[in-house]
Amino acid sequence: MMESFDLIVVGSGAAGAMAALRGADLGLSVLIVEKAHQFGGTSATSGGVMWVPGHGLDGDQGDSAAEALRYLRSVIGVSVDAERLAAYVDRAPEMLRFLKDSGVPVMAAAWPDYFPDAPGARADRSIICPTFDGRQLGDDRYPLMRAQYSRFTLFRRYAMDLSQTFALMMQQRGWRWTAAKMIARYWLDIGTRRLSARDRRFTQGAGLMGALYKQVFARGVELRLETALEGLTLAADGRVSGITVRRFGQVQQIAAHHGVVLAAGGFEWNQALRERFYPVPGLARHSSTPEEGNRGEALIAAEAIGASLAHTDQGWWIPTMTLPAPGAANFHEIHQAAFDVGRPWSVCVNRLGLRFVNEATGYDRFGQAMVADQVKTGANMPCWLIFDAKFRAKFSAGGLMPTVHTPDHRIPGHWWDHYVFRAGSIEELARKIGIAPQALSETVQVMNGYAQTGVDPEFGRGGNIYDRFFGDPGVTPNPNLGPIDTAPFYAVPIDNGDLGTKGGLRCDAQARVLDGGGRPIPHLYAAGNCAASPFGDCYPGAGATIGPALTFGFVAAEDIAARAHEQQRMTA
């Protein structure tokens, strides 16, 4: 007999986990299928932040649905589904209350919205989870949660929470003591070291997903790894009745009595889909999401039964850079450079030696500027991050750690003038990276003038609270501007990477997948990057990927459960 569940969830990231948790909480039998060998999805590798306007965690914060919508309408640049956008603003606080009541600890963070000068912007809408003890999942499951990237760890081993990350990143007072405590705590945990080399402290995205999955497993949800979606099955009446999966070469059909939620991520690792949808496709290998993870299988399966798409020309952009993977020949590692590009003593230029963006802006807007400049000049993607010895001493440049961690003599010889460029003068550096020396020299001289006055009249770098949040408060008069005047000078190429795709299956306010005529496909739902973002082309604030993923996973489960309970009532 065919195996069956009330609800099947495809994908084990934040959207899928929430759909499973809420569905099980409402009495449904739930199965999660995940094609990878580990669970947690891209969410487990992320910063784990949730953007939830009007959350009310610390009492009345003065935020409201009207203010959030005013902000969103002022920053979204394309047409979006107004009902779906309003549903997000209305339901996100409800989702967060459920998450908290379920046993997942949450707290508000002082994180400015990404358009801080827009009407309705605030600095308290981003929500984080504290560190989670991974062994609470059980010693069999603890190693199976997808691990954080090395960029979220100290020395590729020790887990860092957000406060530790910023303390070490900015070399704040006491940062060496912070690092020492992290290292000591890890090695004194002898019991865990006997089990695994992995740090038991799950931080950032892993902290969120660890706490979430503790509750998912407590409710008896079944999770199957190495189980890839092959297609959706339809009943004679046109409703989605289940899925076809492949596990170790064996194909199986599983029935879903009341619904299927597609939560399997976007399509950033599918180069053919990038070529189909993006005006400037970029390369899949520049993505900062798990390699070969999100290839759009759910989108393809839904499109095959008539689903429509929206906003597929948009990505959750972030600047990245590439370095060889330590200890592994012929492999490379992608490093995020989200905040590095806006630090003082640096400038970003295209291959004409010209600036094209406020380097300290939100990372998604930085990526959008790269795309626009590439369309305009053909001289971007990659662009170049140029910096001097002062920057090199204090800040990272993507995967290039500051000199306190990685002095120049420790950089492998074959990296120089291939991955990292160094010269005694700006003109010599320009020649090495193929930029006209006069053009780059003039740009640097202009930036040095801006550093003296503290004002960037071209792009306004350091002119708002978001820029300054990631600047260096010890640099005056502008924490994001400092003279690029101390040899040696350095350059690294910056690619337009991503945190996933913004576009996907077109859904309504109930998270139901819509066909080409705008009608819901019965029993089919989508959430997370598998679905088109409610924000269209916009990244409104930290956590704007995970916030909607959790919310519409929650909404989908509620709609499915309500329909299931009504059906049971009518047949009783």
Side-chain angles (χ1 to χ4, degrees):
M1 294 180 62
M2 184 184 299
E3 196 174 15
S4 64
F5 294 82
D6 292 331
L7 167 62
I8 297 177
V9 178
V10 181
S12 67
M18 174 55 80
L21 176 63
R22 187 54 174 156
D25 211 60
L26 293 171
L28 302 179
S29 61
V30 184
L31 169 69
I32 303 174
V33 296
E34 167 59 59
K35 74 174 182 179
H37 292 76
Q38 294 179 309
F39 64 91
T42 305
S43 305
T45 71
S46 73
V49 185
M50 301 160 271
W51 193 75
V52 181
H55 54 75
L57 283 181
D58 301 314
D60 183 12
Q61 297 295 312
D63 199 6
S64 67
E67 277 295 284
L69 286 172
R70 185 163 77 106
Y71 170 68
L72 289 168
R73 288 165 181 157
S74 71
V75 298
I76 294 173
V78 297
S79 177
V80 297
D81 184 330
E83 185 179 351
R84 179 168 161 81
L85 186 67
Y88 172 67
V89 172
D90 287 340
R91 302 298 302 275
E94 181 184 346
M95 174 279 297
L96 192 67
R97 286 192 295 272
F98 167 74
L99 193 66
K100 183 179 179 182
D101 292 345
S102 296
V104 177
V106 293
M107 63 184 73
W111 207 311
D113 286 340
Y114 287 178
F115 298 80
D117 297 327
R122 295 178 63 89
D124 60 357
R125 288 170 171 155
S126 294
I127 309 299
I128 59 174
C129 285
T131 297
F132 176 77
D133 180 354
R135 292 187 65 181
Q136 290 188 34
L137 295 176
D139 288 352
D140 55 337
R141 288 177 173 144
Y142 141 74
L144 292 177
M145 167 74 76
R146 188 184 283 277
Q148 283 279 17
Y149 288 108
S150 61
R151 60 177 171 261
F152 289 127
T153 65
L154 176 65
F155 300 135
R156 311 181 69 82
R157 184 187 295 271
Y158 312 109
M160 298 188 294
D161 61 27
L162 285 170
S163 64
Q164 292 165 337
T165 298
F166 286 118
L168 299 179
M169 181 189 299
M170 300 297 297
Q171 296 183 29
Q172 295 172 356
R173 184 177 180 180
W175 68 270
R176 287 184 173 86
W177 178 237
T178 297
K181 288 191 293 184
M182 292 166 57
I183 295 168
R185 177 206 45 75
Y186 175 90
W187 288 111
L188 289 173
D189 185 9
I190 297 172
T192 302
R193 297 292 69 76
R194 289 172 176 162
L195 178 67
S196 169
R198 183 173 182 179
D199 197 327
R200 75 186 293 165
R201 291 176 71 243
F202 284 12
T203 60
Q204 302 185 51
L208 165 65
M209 297 308 293
L212 187 51
Y213 266 100
K214 179 183 177 181
Q215 304 305 324
V216 168
F217 293 138
R219 285 158 176 77
V221 172
E222 183 173 349
L223 168 67
R224 293 183 191 171
L225 302 177
E226 300 100 21
T227 305
L229 177 70
E230 290 278 300
L232 299 166
T233 55
L234 295 177
D237 58 4
R239 63 183 170 83
V240 171
S241 58
I243 62 174
T244 301
V245 296
R246 181 182 295 272
R247 187 171 192 269
F248 299 130
Q250 182 176 353
V251 176
Q252 176 190 8
Q253 287 191 338
I254 308 173
H257 294 305
H258 300 295
V260 171
V261 176
L262 299 177
F267 59 83
E268 64 270 16
W269 280 96
N270 188 321
Q271 190 65 39
L273 291 183
R274 295 177 75 102
E275 300 284 343
R276 174 183 167 189
F277 294 127
Y278 285 164
V280 181
L283 295 178
R285 64 186 177 87
H286 293 152
S287 175
S288 69
T289 64
E291 186 173 4
E292 294 295 331
N294 299 321
R295 295 185 52 83
E297 293 96 338
L299 181 151
I300 293 168
E303 205 177 12
I305 63 166
S308 60
L309 310 177
H311 309 310
T312 49
D313 59 337
Q314 302 291 331
W316 300 102
W317 306 122
I318 190 168
T320 62
M321 63 93 69
T322 303
L323 285 177
N330 304 313
F331 286 90
H332 287 82
E333 203 168 28
I334 301 300
H335 297 269
Q336 295 177 357
F339 311 117
D340 304 338
V341 292
R343 306 291 193 195
W345 311 308
S346 71
V347 65
C348 285
V349 298
N350 64 15
R351 297 193 300 278
L352 301 177
L354 303 175
R355 294 178 72 205
F356 58 93
V357 68
N358 164 16
E359 296 91 338
T361 193
Y363 38 88
D364 185 63
R365 297 172 75 183
F366 189 101
Q368 290 180 338
M370 289 183 72
V371 171
D373 189 62
Q374 176 66 20
V375 171
K376 178 182 176 181
T377 68
N380 212 307
M381 298 180 66
C383 63
W384 291 94
L385 171 61
I386 310 294
F387 52 98
D388 74 356
K390 301 190 300 298
F391 179 107
R392 172 87 179 91
K394 186 165 187 179
F395 300 120
S396 60
L400 179 66
M401 293 293 102
T403 52
V404 68
H405 174 273
T406 309
D408 282 5
H409 71 267
R410 289 187 58 192
I411 293 177
H414 67 281
W415 285 20
W416 292 113
D417 296 341
H418 297 285
Y419 299 95
V420 183
F421 296 77
R422 178 182 59 182
S425 69
I426 290 293
E427 291 78 11
E428 181 187 356
L429 184 68
R431 282 188 285 270
K432 283 190 173 188
I433 63 177
I435 292 178
Q438 183 176 352
L440 184 58
S441 180
E442 289 177 355
T443 295
V444 168
Q445 289 174 19
V446 169
M447 286 296 290
N448 289 349
Y450 297 166
Q452 287 186 330
T453 65
V455 178
D456 170 14
E458 289 183 274
F459 296 101
R461 176 168 165 176
N464 62 54
I465 187 176
Y466 177 84
D467 291 8
R468 295 189 295 272
F469 190 75
F470 297 105
D472 186 334
V475 176
T476 57
N478 185 324
N480 299 98
L481 294 172
I484 308 164
D485 59 6
T486 305
F489 300 95
Y490 301 84
V492 296
I494 298 294
D495 296 304
N496 192 24
D498 60 64
L499 300 167
T501 49
K502 274 198 188 92
L505 299 171
R506 186 159 63 108
C507 298
D508 65 9
Q510 288 75 46
R512 299 176 298 185
V513 176
L514 305 177
D515 66 15
R519 299 174 296 270
I521 297 175
H523 291 202
L524 184 62
Y525 298 74
N529 285 353
C530 191
S533 169
F535 308 132
D537 65 343
C538 179
Y539 202 144
T545 54
I546 293 181
L550 290 166
T551 299
F552 286 110
F554 175 84
V555 167
E558 291 225 323
D559 197 70
I560 293 167
R563 181 167 37 77
H565 295 156
E566 177 62 18
Q567 182 178 331
Q568 292 167 359
R569 185 187 67 80
M570 293 181 66
T571 57

